[in-house]
Amino acid sequence: MPLSVREQDARMRAEFPGFKLTLDLGFMGVWEGSLTPICQTYTIRITYFARVFFENHTLANPVVSIVVLDPPIGPDPRGTGEPPQHVYRWQQPPEFPLLCVYDPRTDEWTREKSIADVLIPMIIKWFFFHEDWVVDGVWRGGGRHPEVSKNEDTCKPATQHSNQEDRARQDQSLNAAFHRLGRKTGAFGSYL
């Protein structure tokens, strides 16, 4: 069984009391806090979906996403024109890509595992290798990450559908899920 937002929050408060649960919708939680792996302090946001299935619909969001709020990683952290390594830039603002801290096709992290116990150490490790990469342009963190072709400047998460029919079905499902969520919470918003 996936850990609930409350179970995840209890572990976060115990291990990382500086992280605060800023949004709890029951099926989704958002935490914000700071980490200092070497010398730079980073404020991050972790968005977690404990539940992705709703009345025969599946949310297209990744189960968990990590974004650096301050300082933004940006499109060119080294000042060389080279984009940051091991991030998902697909459908993300250039200043705020999602961090690629684990391989989603493995069981390195799943919803059954604690964010505090498993995911936060992965994030700290990512920052360690990122700071090293900024110095000399060599990514020593290893890992498997989708290659980006010369014509494509973004990485796409594993949930990306390849044909137009699947993409249209996904968009319709996502739109319906957002409307149901808006009716339940009384809040509606736009998403680019």
Side-chain angles (χ1 to χ4, degrees):
M1 289 291 296
L3 294 177
S4 70
V5 171
R6 292 189 183 191
E7 290 169 321
Q8 293 284 10
D9 188 48
R11 290 297 305 144
M12 288 289 277
R13 282 191 319 234
E15 296 296 319
F16 297 95
F19 274 79
K20 302 296 179 207
L21 182 64
T22 60
L23 177 67
D24 181 358
L25 295 178
F27 72 94
M28 174 187 152
V30 177
W31 291 266
E32 291 183 5
S34 297
L35 297 171
T36 308
I38 301 176
C39 58
Q40 176 71 49
T41 298
Y42 300 92
T43 302
I44 66 170
R45 175 182 295 143
I46 299 171
T47 303
Y48 169 69
F49 285 86
R51 181 177 172 207
V52 293
F53 300 107
F54 297 90
E55 299 173 10
N56 298 326
H57 295 285
T58 302
L59 291 180
N61 302 64
V63 172
V64 69
S65 60
I66 304 110
V67 66
V68 181
L69 302 174
D70 187 46
I73 295 295
D76 185 12
R78 297 186 64 230
T80 61
E82 186 178 4
Q85 301 292 298
H86 283 271
V87 296
Y88 294 110
R89 294 179 288 278
W90 182 70
Q91 291 188 341
Q92 294 300 122
E95 298 80 20
F96 303 103
L98 300 178
L99 302 188
C100 176
V101 299
Y102 70 96
D103 186 345
R105 293 183 182 152
T106 68
D107 286 335
E108 290 177 281
W109 186 84
T110 63
R111 291 182 300 150
E112 291 79 20
K113 297 179 181 178
S114 164
I115 292 172
D117 296 335
V118 179
L119 198 60
I120 295 280
M122 290 177 173
I123 296 168
I124 292 169
K125 184 178 175 184
W126 187 94
F127 281 129
F128 175 81
F129 289 117
H130 173 73
E131 288 185 18
D132 183 50
W133 171 80
V134 168
V135 172
D136 63 10
V138 177
W139 182 264
R140 292 177 182 85
R144 185 187 68 81
H145 194 75
E147 291 298 320
V148 180
S149 71
K150 292 181 182 179
N151 297 329
E152 181 183 3
D153 65 347
T154 61
C155 292
K156 295 179 182 172
T159 59
Q160 176 62 19
H161 296 288
S162 58
N163 68 45
Q164 291 289 53
E165 187 177 310
D166 285 348
R167 179 68 186 160
R169 211 175 294 122
Q170 175 191 11
D171 288 345
Q172 183 179 20
S173 173
L174 183 61
N175 188 28
F178 274 119
H179 282 282
R180 279 194 305 280
L181 175 63
R183 284 191 295 275
K184 287 181 180 179
T185 63
F188 288 88
S190 298
Y191 182 76
L192 266 182

